[in-house]
Amino acid sequence: MGLFDKLVTTALPLAPKALVRIVAKKYIAGETLNDAMATVTRLNDEGAMATVDVLGEFVESSDVARQETEYSIKTLDEIHRRNVNSNLSVKLTSLGLAIDNEFAYGNLRRVVAAAAGHGNFVRIDMENSPYTQKTIDHFRRVRAEFPDNVGIVLQAYLRRTEQDVRELSAEGANFRLCKGIYIEPPEISYRDFDEIRASYARALDTLLDGGCYVGIATHDEWLVEHGLRTVRDRGLEPAEYEFQMLLGVRPQLGDRLVREGHRLRIYVPFGRQWYEYSLRRLQENPKIAGYVAGDLGRSILRRR
Ligand code: FDA
């Protein structure tokens, strides 16, 4: 861990909540479902689709996991009621995966069934490696019942992803491909920036060659260019893939993709737990703090 990273990890919990709020505002839609829907409506007006994430993970109480499940269903109902272009992203630990496998599966099944009832879709986020296999198992099981209403995320930094890509693409699954955000041990993950990029590019090529629908989730311009080349070389229509980005990150790159006719989906996190979520993300991966600091610096310079 570098000096800056150490500083961030120790100093962050001491920062006033108001200060964290100012920084987090750009990346989080707000505290309420109304806030999330307002952001989704704005994004839709700008030509982008959305995926809404109710903030909350690593739930240790079954009551809280049940509440999270209800809230996810309520969010799907609201998306339907407002007729906005958005699906839902969920983390299985927020539905109780850290408590009990079957309990979490029952909750996930309810959420996916609710999405299916509205003709919508649930993307199961991928969390840290203790949950990788369980997440894939739950995905396969729920997909058997609702093949068009659920998709999974694969992380290019995991060494196992090459094998997962081969197996899951043969099953015709719907993917989001990302680099991976958690800090994982070197035995199971690539650490080198170029190795992760190469793994991402290989996985994307295999998925598209396998005829899978892929959400190309990255803000890395090199990978975006690779993605554009890859879909062009295969003669894919814009409806056969999409790019995905996080709310507030590299908006100019997203605007360019929309202008050029590609589908773009923005990940919209919201919820009362925005503060805990922001702290945890920054502490888990201080690289993000570097990105945020760089971004703040650039916007201050732009304003001068
Ligand atoms: P890279 O890390 O090289 O970033 C490229 C540039 O983008 C940076 O230089 C910086 O300017 C900017 N940037 C990237 N992330 C930023 C951030 N958080 N804040 C500010 N600036 C940032 N991971 C995971 O493990 N499981 C998951 O389910 C998901 N889901 C997911 C959904 C979507 C839609 C996206 C876009 C990403 C995820 N991720 C994820 C996160 C992903 O794994 C990865 O950590 C980030 O996307 C950063 O990787 P990039 O590919 O953007 O490259």
Side-chain angles (χ1 to χ4, degrees):
M1 202 186 264
L3 191 61
F4 177 73
D5 300 352
K6 265 193 205 140
L7 196 70
V8 167
T9 314
T10 41
L12 208 64
L14 307 174
K17 196 169 174 181
L19 185 67
V20 179
R21 185 191 286 270
I22 292 169
V23 176
K25 220 171 136 208
K26 187 172 168 199
Y27 306 103
I28 290 168
E31 293 197 1
T32 66
L33 189 48
N34 251 335
D35 294 333
M37 291 299 111
T39 300
V40 170
T41 303
R42 175 180 61 77
L43 291 167
N44 286 175
D45 289 346
E46 292 168 4
M49 308 176 289
T51 183
V52 173
D53 168 46
V54 185
L55 292 176
E57 53 194 306
F58 295 106
V59 168
E60 283 167 338
S61 132
S62 16
D63 283 345
V64 177
R66 271 187 215 102
Q67 284 162 21
E68 298 279 338
T69 305
E70 292 309 322
Y71 206 55
S72 291
I73 293 170
K74 188 175 167 194
T75 302
L76 284 163
D77 292 344
E78 194 60 13
I79 289 170
H80 179 72
R81 196 181 70 77
R82 298 201 189 209
N83 196 22
V84 287
N85 189 340
S86 178
N87 59 37
L88 181 82
S89 287
V90 287
K91 290 187 174 53
L92 290 188
T93 59
S94 81
L95 303 184
L97 191 61
I99 303 168
D100 180 76
N101 237 354
E102 275 308 299
F103 171 65
Y105 181 74
N107 290 336
L108 171 66
R109 194 197 163 280
R110 289 194 55 217
V111 174
V112 176
H118 293 312
N120 207 338
F121 182 88
V122 176
R123 174 77 57 191
I124 307 175
D125 283 343
M126 188 57 84
E127 300 179 70
N128 45 340
S129 55
Y131 300 105
T132 310
Q133 191 56 49
K134 289 178 181 173
T135 302
I136 291 176
D137 293 345
H138 278 3
F139 162 69
R140 279 199 168 111
R141 194 171 154 194
V142 79
R143 183 170 179 267
E145 196 177 347
F146 302 102
D148 299 328
N149 307 99
V150 64
I152 193 157
V153 178
L154 290 180
Q155 299 156 320
Y157 68 5
L158 288 188
R159 294 177 192 274
R160 61 172 285 165
T161 289
E162 199 150 346
Q163 184 64 21
D164 290 335
V165 158
R166 251 182 265 127
E167 290 176 10
L168 287 161
S169 62
E171 297 167 27
N174 178 316
F175 297 89
R176 172 193 298 152
L177 183 62
C178 66
K179 285 186 178 175
I181 202 167
Y182 304 89
I183 306 284
E184 298 289 358
E187 303 81 65
I188 62 162
S189 66
Y190 300 112
R191 305 295 276 272
D192 178 73
F193 189 79
D194 289 329
E195 264 188 314
I196 297 172
R197 266 186 177 168
S199 165
Y200 192 114
R202 275 196 309 275
L204 180 60
D205 294 355
T206 309
L207 291 173
L208 292 176
D209 285 339
C212 299
Y213 187 90
V214 187
I216 307 168
T218 182
H219 321 88
D220 179 344
E221 275 174 66
W222 188 90
L223 279 177
V224 169
E225 292 305 330
H226 176 83
L228 289 170
R229 255 194 325 274
T230 310
V231 296
R232 200 173 45 235
D233 290 350
R234 283 160 183 75
L236 296 181
E237 294 296 324
E240 295 177 288
Y241 60 90
E242 65 188 46
F243 286 90
Q244 297 188 354
M245 294 187 179
L246 301 172
L247 183 66
V249 178
R250 296 271 170 117
Q252 292 87 350
L253 183 56
D255 290 348
R256 189 197 116 195
L257 290 170
V258 171
R259 266 198 317 277
E260 291 176 0
H262 305 283
R263 277 150 61 108
L264 173 71
R265 187 178 302 279
I266 304 292
Y267 190 97
V268 177
F270 81 99
R272 283 195 309 268
Q273 290 190 34
W274 65 269
Y275 178 70
E276 295 76 10
Y277 173 87
S278 308
L279 281 193
R280 200 165 39 235
R281 278 292 96 81
L282 290 166
Q283 288 182 307
E284 264 169 11
N285 191 348
K287 189 175 88 170
I288 304 292
Y291 288 165
V292 173
D295 198 28
L296 266 179
R298 273 191 297 278
S299 56
I300 289 166
L301 284 176
R302 267 200 303 272
R303 262 187 233 138
R304 295 176 107 199

